[in-house]
Structure formats: C-alpha cells, structure tokens
C-alpha cells in the first residue's frame, strides 16, 4: 500500500510509469519523489552501477569493509561527504576544510568512523581500529 516512491533522478521515468500504472489499473493516486544523484568530485555517480556498491547489511559487507569504503574517499570529496553522511556539527567539519596531506587522512578517518558508527554502532570501531593498527602500523 505504498503511496510514495523515493529514488534517484536517473529513475524518474520508471517511477512516473509506476505512478501512471497505479492510476490506470487501480485508480489510486501515487507519488514519486526523486533526488539528485550523489556524484564524486570527478563526476562519477555513487552506486551499484558505478562499481561501488556498498551493502548496508553486515552479512553482505563487513563493518571493516564498510569503514574502508569511507576511508578510501577521494581527498576532494571528504568534506562534502562529511556534510552529507555524518551528523557532525557543520562548525566541526568547517574546521577540517583547510586540511591537506596527512591532515586530510585524519578527516577520512573521521568520515569512516562517523559513517560506520551511524550504521553499525560505535561499538565496532575499536575492533576496526585494532585491525588497522595490526595491519598497517
């Protein structure tokens, strides 16, 4: 009994077809709402068709691999993604805007930590950081 379908702007035609089908077949008023696709700084869209599918279910993608997805964000995307995908105060993110080099890597860790904590809970971060410490330090 859905009345509203949400989707990316690339799915607008499919969604409108569904709205029209519902009207014609069942006589119901349906709605579609699209949002712009999220793209990376190089213009590529994020998502499964871009080869960057990210599962939200830990059975499909481990918490560590989810964390790594965000840690591997391009330098040019970190600040925008912090604003889009975390609940950090904007003032805190703005303090990171001028960071470069090793500092930008710290911002990537903040992004990875915050995005992972939102999905999987903060409890998993200790194990992720322990794994990283073991592998890379």
């Amino acid at each position: 009994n859905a009345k509203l379908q949400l989707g990316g702007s690339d799915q607008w035609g499919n969604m409108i077809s569904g709205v029209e089908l519902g009207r014609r077949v069942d006589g119901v008023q349906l709605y579609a709402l699209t949002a712009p696709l999220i793209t990376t700084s190089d213009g590529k869209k994020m998502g499964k068709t871009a080869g960057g599918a990210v599962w939200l279910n830990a059975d499909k993608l481990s918490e560590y691999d989810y964390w790594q997805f965000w840690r591997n964000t391009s330098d040019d995307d970190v600040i925008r993604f912090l604003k889009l995908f975390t609940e950090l105060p904007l003032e805190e993110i703005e303090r990171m805007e001028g960071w470069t080099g090793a500092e930008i890597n710290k911002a990537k860790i903040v992004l990875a930590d915050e995005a992972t904590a939102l999905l999987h809970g903060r409890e998993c971060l200790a194990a992720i950081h322990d794994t990283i410490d073991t592998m890379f330090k």
Side-chain angles (χ1 to χ4, degrees), residues 108-128:
K108 290 179 182 186
I109 292 169
V110 171
L111 171 61
D113 283 351
E114 294 300 316
T116 303
L118 277 173
L119 180 61
H120 295 293
R122 284 205 182 275
E123 312 78 47
C124 71
L125 295 178
I128 291 169

Side-chain angles (χ1 to χ4, degrees), residues 33-105:
L33 176 66
T34 63
L37 295 176
I38 298 172
T39 58
T40 58
S41 58
D42 60 2
K44 295 179 182 164
K45 73 176 184 176
M46 291 180 73
K48 63 183 180 187
T49 57
V54 177
W55 292 95
L56 302 180
N57 185 324
D59 293 338
K60 299 275 189 182
L61 185 72
S62 73
E63 295 158 342
Y64 173 80
D65 289 332
Y66 185 80
W67 188 93
Q68 279 292 344
F69 170 82
W70 294 107
R71 170 60 183 86
N72 292 330
T73 296
S74 164
D75 292 1
D76 295 332
D77 291 323
V78 175
I79 298 301
R80 186 165 58 96
F81 288 178
L82 280 163
K83 291 175 182 177
L84 288 172
F85 298 113
T86 75
E87 294 180 341
L88 290 174
L90 289 176
E91 301 80 34
E92 187 174 337
I93 297 169
E94 288 165 0
R95 284 194 295 270
M96 296 181 226
E97 282 187 298
W99 290 6
T100 59
E103 287 180 316
I104 200 71
N105 286 326

